[in-house]
Every structure is written in C-alpha cells, then in structure tokens.
Amino acid sequence: MFWESQKQLEELVCRLVSWESRTATEGEILFPFKLKDELAKLEYFQQRPEYLKHHDAGRKRNSLSALYRHETASKTIILMSHFDTVHTKEFGSSSRLAFSPYELGRRFKEIADDFPESVRADILSDEYLFGRGTMDMKMGIALHMHLLEKAIANNWPINLVLLTVPDEEVDSAGMRTAVTHLKDLADRHTLDYALFINSEPSFTQYPGDPNYYFYSGTIGKIMPSVLFHGVETHVGEPLSGLNAHFMASFLNQQMEFSNVFSETVYGERTPLPVTLKYYDMKTDYSTQTSNHVAAFYNVFAMEQNAEEVFTKFNQLVEETMTQCQNSYETICQREGVHPVGQIRTLSYQALYDYMLRKHGQMKIDEIVTQYIARDDLDDREKSMHIANRMITYCKELVPLAVTLFVPPYYPAVNTSEAPLVRGVSRVVQEFLDTNYGIIPKEIHYFNGISDASYTAYDSHDASWQTYKINTPVWGETYTIPFESMQNLQVPHVNIGPFGKDPHKLTERLHKQSGYEITPKLLEAVVKYCMNAP
C-alpha cells in the first residue's frame, strides 16, 4: 500500500506540500493534475480511469473527484477538502522553504531563539511538521487518500467520493462549482449521499488553546458593503461639497465591533464585525476632495440569513447617515453656509431600479459589461465600480450611500441534530477518550470558515434572493448554486488533525495527530457510518 503507515503518510503530506498551490498561482492550476497522477498509482483507478475526474472551476482551475464504489452499496460519504493555500509573503526571500517541511524545520531549529517560547518549544520538540499547508489543509487531503486506499484494499461496503477543490481561501469557486458536479456524479452512479466529512484542522478558540475540537457545522460569513458618494469640491472651499470620507467615518465607527449582528447559538457566539477593506476610489492625487469611498464589512452569522443581515445593515447605515447629516448641518450653521444636500441611503436594487427607469436596461448592461470585462479588478472592486458608474448617471441622488453585497458569501450550515451526526459525535468522543485520553469538544459552528457552507442550505429559505439582487456581479463573475444546495441537504462533520498558527509563518501540524490519531479516528467514523441506519 502507498499511504498506509505513519512514515508513508508523512512522506505523502510533505509531497503534497512541495506541490505549492497558493491561490491564484500556476501551482493551484497544476495541483489537481499532479494529484490525479498520484491517485492513479492505485490499480483500482488504473482499471477504472473514469472514476478519477476533473471538474472545471473557472480560470483554468479544476476540482478533482475520486470515486470508490462498492457493487452492493448506495450509501456514500463525501470526503471534502481544498488544496489551495494562502500566500507566503511572511517568509520573505526564503519563501521556497515554506514548501520544504524538513528543510524548514532544520532552519527553524537554527534560529529557535528568535521565536516566542511557545513556538520555540514546539520547534525543539520534533512533535510538529512546519510548512505552508501542512495544517491547512494538505494533511486533510492525505488522510482522505489514506481512507480511500484502505476502503479499496478491504472492499468496504460503502461508497467514498474524495473531492478536493481550489480557491477555498478566497472565493470558494471550487466548491461552488463542484456542487452541481456532485449531483451529476450521484445520478450517474446511483449514489446516496449520507455525510460530508471535511478534514479542516482543529482550530484553536483562543491563543494557546490546547483543546481538540471537531465540528458539526460551519459559521456563515457575509460582506455587506457601502459606496459613499459625496459632492466633490476644491480643498480651498471644503463646505462647497461633502467629503465621502466624512460620510464613511460615521458608519465605520458604528460597524467596527458592533453587537447589532451578534448571535449566540449552542452557547457559541459569533465574532464581532470588522472592516475588511476601506478605500478611496479616486486613484490620483489632487486638491479635489473625494466623492466616492468604498467600504467592505465582515459579518459572521449562525442563524441569521442574508435578508436579516441586510435589513439590520441598512438600518444602521440610515441611522449613521442621519448622524452625519446632523453633524454636517451643525458645521454649516456654525460657518454660515448652506448644506449641499440631504444624504440619501439606497440599496443597490433601489439604485438599479432608479437607473432602469431613467436610462433603460441597455445602459445598465453597457455599464455592467464594461467592468465585468476588466481583468485588473476583482469581484469586490467590480461591484463598487458598477454602482459608482450608475451614480454618475444619476447625480441628482447625491450625496448618497448605496448599500450592497460583495463576494464571497458563506452561508452558515449546522446539521448538529441530524441522527447520523449525533452518532458520529458519540464515536469521536468514545474513540479519543478510550484510546488516547483526549476529551474532545464539539463545536457547532466551525470558526475557520469553510467550503462546508455549500453542502446544505435551508430548503425553506428564500432570503438568498435578497443577496442575488443586491450583488452587482451576480450572474456574471459570481454565483452560488443555492437551489442545488437546497436539494443536496447532506449532513456535515469536520474532523481533522490538530495544528497551530494557520496562515502564519509558524503554521504547523501535530505529527501524532496527523499520522496516527486522526487516521484511526476517521476509519472508526466511516465504519460506524457503514452500519448506521
């Protein structure tokens, strides 16, 4: 067998790490082809090459599925993972070391005194494997390959689909496109999907957290945003206009760390909102004040849907723009000048409808097409430029704050109460306690954000329509297969290896967890699922 022993697993994860696959690089494009060749070593796939399949994820990227199918089984487990990693700028000129775990480990030992005590202890212990992707999440892929090989060798009476995707770290294009491929796969091979097993690593809940967690859901992430469009003026006559930065300052103060969107479910609380990006859309320097400023906000959700978040957000924007107007008018009164106007707040959909009535669909399509075609802009920037261009045709609306959504959107998913998940939870608890004296903790909403957001969507929820009509790039460069997700309705668990410092210079995998404990735990879970009703 190729990936059976602990030594083989370490060699495999080091090989996967060496195939650097940073998001939006050539490495990300090439990785699934290298992985397909690796899986093709198994005689099972040499005899059934059609069971190894690439799925187009856009921009030359591909997902990869590998199917093990038992002739008498319909019950199927999907082993899901992502192969892209974040970038390595923190490594500086030594970025190549990020993909060479053994060499990196030796280098860290040489400079161990440069690290904080907790990191230094892990470096010197030889209990951790350092490198980009060791924890997040090349070890997860290796574990799924191990399971697949074991199922084939022992003819397990269950079907397994290994599914690994690109782009999880940015927009999750891989999983969003893979959802429809999963339906096709099920129809073609008569598969009954019973469970998704993601193997993202066990994330710490606070600095220095030593606990092991497994997850029965994943937190939602959504990005309500605003384009502030003021009235430009020369800096020598500041009150002849209204600076968009002045407008934005009122909302930024209220959004950052706001508890308006806070939720507590199963005793778990959503992290507070933060501003993810704030920028002036005026690209040049001049003595003209800025009349257009964009701001993106990160909001986490558990039970709130897109419509509920947007309703709260719009109310907050309206309140802060009222505060801004009042403050501005007080200043104008003090200085003896007349205000330039009354600040309006409109949703993107309301702006779209206004533009439609005034200029027609052809002009809107022309604007959208112009910015969608620009490769120098990402989806967030395209969204803001589309809204901004519409405003230039409706200047009678300014000063104006336009609320909208920008990608990505990760819906919250929680299947904690599904009978199969409750059974898996018992297996995890008993296995780790009995064999390793580990008392694991169940987290109902994975706090690391994951592709599991696209595995199941509330079949009764229609709030995604609010997201669709307020996302300028929807249907062009960004979509979410909400209806396919509603039809999928497959429960989900996340069981992965323990590690520390994801996305940092010192990202590391706990070797015993990766090579010994988690492989045995995942095998126990799969065998439980074979016999579960």
Side-chain angles (χ1 to χ4, degrees), residues 337-487:
V337 299
H338 293 291
V340 296
Q342 184 77 28
I343 302 171
R344 293 179 172 88
T345 299
L346 293 178
S347 68
Y348 174 74
Q349 178 61 31
L351 173 64
Y352 186 102
D353 290 343
Y354 186 93
M355 179 77 182
L356 183 64
R357 290 191 298 271
K358 184 177 180 183
H359 293 288
Q361 189 66 53
M362 187 176 297
K363 178 56 69 174
I364 292 175
D365 292 345
E366 178 186 313
I367 292 170
V368 172
T369 300
Q370 175 187 352
Y371 289 105
I372 290 300
R374 286 185 55 177
D375 292 335
D376 60 318
L377 303 175
D378 67 16
D379 282 344
R380 288 151 290 282
E381 294 166 324
K382 289 176 182 178
S383 298
M384 288 299 176
H385 277 285
I386 290 168
N388 184 64
R389 188 62 174 157
M390 286 184 183
I391 295 171
T392 64
Y393 284 90
C394 309
K395 291 298 287 283
E396 64 275 13
L397 295 176
V398 300
L400 175 65
V402 177
T403 60
L404 62 151
F405 285 118
V406 299
Y409 174 29
Y410 289 81
V413 170
N414 186 274
T415 56
S416 299
E417 303 307 324
L420 186 59
V421 173
R422 296 312 330 134
V424 168
S425 177
R426 290 190 295 272
V427 170
V428 172
Q429 301 277 356
E430 292 169 6
F431 179 89
L432 291 177
D433 185 16
T434 301
N435 294 284
Y436 295 98
I438 297 172
I439 308 298
K441 297 185 178 183
E442 179 176 356
I443 298 291
H444 300 84
Y445 290 93
F446 176 66
N447 62 321
I449 309 171
S450 81
D451 280 338
S453 283
Y454 307 106
T455 60
Y457 189 80
D458 183 352
S459 58
H460 304 292
D461 184 68
S463 75
W464 59 269
Q465 294 286 352
T466 297
Y467 186 83
K468 173 182 175 180
I469 63 178
N470 286 289
T471 303
V473 295
W474 182 269
E476 299 290 343
T477 57
Y478 188 80
T479 57
I480 299 173
F482 285 109
E483 291 168 310
S484 295
M485 288 152 51
Q486 286 176 316
N487 292 330

Side-chain angles (χ1 to χ4, degrees), residues 34 52 61 105 128 161 165 168 186 273 289 298 306 312 319 350 354 357-358 405 415 435-436 446 455 484 489 509 513:
K34 294 178 180 178
L52 281 178
R61 299 167 301 187
Y128 288 85
V161 175
V165 302
E168 189 268 357
T289 59
N298 188 89
K312 291 180 180 180
E319 290 173 357
Y354 186 93
R357 290 191 298 271
K358 184 177 180 183
F405 285 118
T415 56
N435 294 284
Y436 295 98
F446 176 66
T455 60
S484 295
Q489 293 301 307
L509 166 77
S513 178

Side-chain angles (χ1 to χ4, degrees), residues 90-92 104 108 115 130-132 501 503-507:
E90 67 273 26
F91 284 83
L104 181 63
F108 278 176
F115 294 96
F130 288 79
R132 178 61 77 240
D501 292 351
H503 298 191
K504 295 183 180 181
L505 174 72
T506 49
E507 176 182 351

Side-chain angles (χ1 to χ4, degrees), residues 143-161:
L143 290 168
H144 293 170
M145 295 168 71
H146 164 82
L147 273 176
L148 199 65
E149 183 180 34
K150 200 151 195 175
I152 291 168
N154 294 283
N155 198 32
W156 287 353
I158 195 167
N159 305 318
L160 298 179
V161 175

Side-chain angles (χ1 to χ4, degrees), residues 225-245:
S225 304
V226 184
L227 175 60
F228 300 93
H229 206 292
V231 178
E232 67 275 15
T233 184
H234 190 281
V235 292
E237 297 179 306
L239 288 176
S240 293
L242 182 58
N243 196 329
H245 289 287

